[in-house]
């Protein structure tokens, strides 16, 4: 029932999140590796993920600023339990680096432009 109601607002939700993502994409300093944007694809930014070599320190710093972040998919594919006996013996340094540096920033339908501008301000001060 909840999803049938939310589905009616899906276009509005997606546009709002795209607007918030545009703020991150245009205002975060170059210290952060941002998602790639391709003009032929329509990203709805279910997650807005950045990368930074000091990810854990950044996460802690933001939490002290009352900004909650997440580490989605923190385990590299070859290290996941489901991959035992399949690719667990493979060396995947790029995947490992991504999983050690990735951080998901706040981006939801309930966040305002002002919320995201505050996140950007604090991140750029890091």
């Amino acid at each position: 029932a909840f999803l049938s109601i939310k589905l009616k607002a899906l276009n509005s939700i997606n546009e709002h999140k795209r607007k918030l993502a545009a703020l991150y994409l245009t205002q975060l300093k170059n210290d952060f590796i941002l998602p790639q944007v391709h003009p032929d694809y329509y990203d709805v930014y279910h997650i807005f993920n950045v990368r930074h070599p000091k990810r854990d320190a950044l996460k802690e710093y933001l939490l002290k600023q009352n900004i909650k972040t997440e580490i989605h998919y923190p385990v590299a594919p070859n290290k996941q339990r489901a991959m035992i006996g399949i690719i667990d013996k493979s060396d995947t340094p790029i995947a490992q680096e991504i999983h050690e540096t990735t951080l998901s920033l706040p981006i939801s339908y309930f966040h305002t432009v002002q919320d995201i501008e505050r996140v950007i301000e604090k991140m750029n001060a890091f």
Side-chain angles (χ1 to χ4, degrees), residues 61-96:
Y61 161 79
L62 290 172
L63 188 57
K64 288 179 181 176
Q65 307 297 320
N66 293 316
I67 298 170
K68 295 179 184 170
T69 59
E70 294 291 334
I71 299 173
H72 286 92
Y73 318 112
V75 180
N78 65 312
K79 305 284 186 191
Q80 294 179 12
R81 181 186 259 165
M83 295 295 120
I84 294 174
I86 301 170
I87 62 170
D88 59 313
K89 304 290 188 246
S90 300
D91 186 29
T92 58
I94 295 171
Q96 192 61 42

Side-chain angles (χ1 to χ4, degrees), residues 50-66:
V50 298
R51 292 180 49 216
H52 192 276
K54 295 182 180 177
R55 186 261 325 262
D56 294 338
L58 175 61
K59 181 174 178 51
E60 185 178 323
Y61 161 79
L62 290 172
L63 188 57
K64 288 179 181 176
Q65 307 297 320
N66 293 316

Side-chain angles (χ1 to χ4, degrees), residues 4-101:
S4 66
I5 293 170
K6 191 173 179 181
L7 190 57
K8 293 175 185 172
L10 187 59
N11 288 337
S12 176
I13 292 168
N14 289 343
E15 284 306 315
H16 179 74
K17 290 176 78 172
R18 288 181 60 123
K19 181 169 79 172
L20 299 180
L23 295 172
Y24 283 134
L25 290 166
T26 59
Q27 295 181 26
L28 281 173
K29 65 183 181 178
N30 291 335
D31 291 9
F32 307 101
I33 299 172
L34 302 176
Q36 292 295 305
V37 177
H38 191 284
D40 293 341
Y41 301 112
Y42 182 82
D43 196 327
V44 296
Y45 296 99
H46 167 66
I47 294 172
F48 192 90
N49 205 291
V50 298
R51 292 180 49 216
H52 192 276
K54 295 182 180 177
R55 186 261 325 262
D56 294 338
L58 175 61
K59 181 174 178 51
E60 185 178 323
Y61 161 79
L62 290 172
L63 188 57
K64 288 179 181 176
Q65 307 297 320
N66 293 316
I67 298 170
K68 295 179 184 170
T69 59
E70 294 291 334
I71 299 173
H72 286 92
Y73 318 112
V75 180
N78 65 312
K79 305 284 186 191
Q80 294 179 12
R81 181 186 259 165
M83 295 295 120
I84 294 174
I86 301 170
I87 62 170
D88 59 313
K89 304 290 188 246
S90 300
D91 186 29
T92 58
I94 295 171
Q96 192 61 42
E97 180 183 336
I98 290 169
H99 290 280
E100 292 171 357
T101 60

Side-chain angles (χ1 to χ4, degrees), residues 98-112:
I98 290 169
H99 290 280
E100 292 171 357
T101 60
T102 189
L103 186 67
S104 298
L105 303 181
I107 189 165
S108 77
Y109 189 62
F110 301 105
H111 287 107
T112 66

